[in-house]
Amino acid sequence: MTNENTPTETPIQRAFRLKQEALAQREKAPRGGAFQREQNKRIAAGKSRPWMTK
């Protein structure tokens, strides 16, 4: 976090910047779901969902 205040920064802008910095520090959820796992395993998309085929 920086404590440098620019004279053109409004209180709302400062609060928003501080909020964004706080959110950036939080732990992020792991990315990826079933589609990404299928891609990593080289499974053709839709093979696990036979009801999706014509």
Side-chain angles (χ1 to χ4, degrees), residues 4 8 13 17-18 24 26-27 32 38 42 44 48 51:
E4 300 171 5
T8 59
Q13 289 172 327
R17 177 178 53 81
L18 293 175
R26 286 175 45 182
E27 194 172 313
E38 285 180 0
R42 301 288 189 236
S48 63
W51 61 91

Side-chain angles (χ1 to χ4, degrees), residues 27-44:
E27 194 172 313
K28 307 236 181 341
R31 299 293 302 250
F35 179 74
Q36 287 81 6
R37 286 192 296 274
E38 285 180 0
Q39 292 298 308
N40 288 337
K41 291 182 197 172
R42 301 288 189 236
I43 298 172

Side-chain angles (χ1 to χ4, degrees), residues 6-15:
T6 59
T8 59
E9 187 179 51
T10 66
I12 292 174
Q13 289 172 327
R14 180 177 179 273

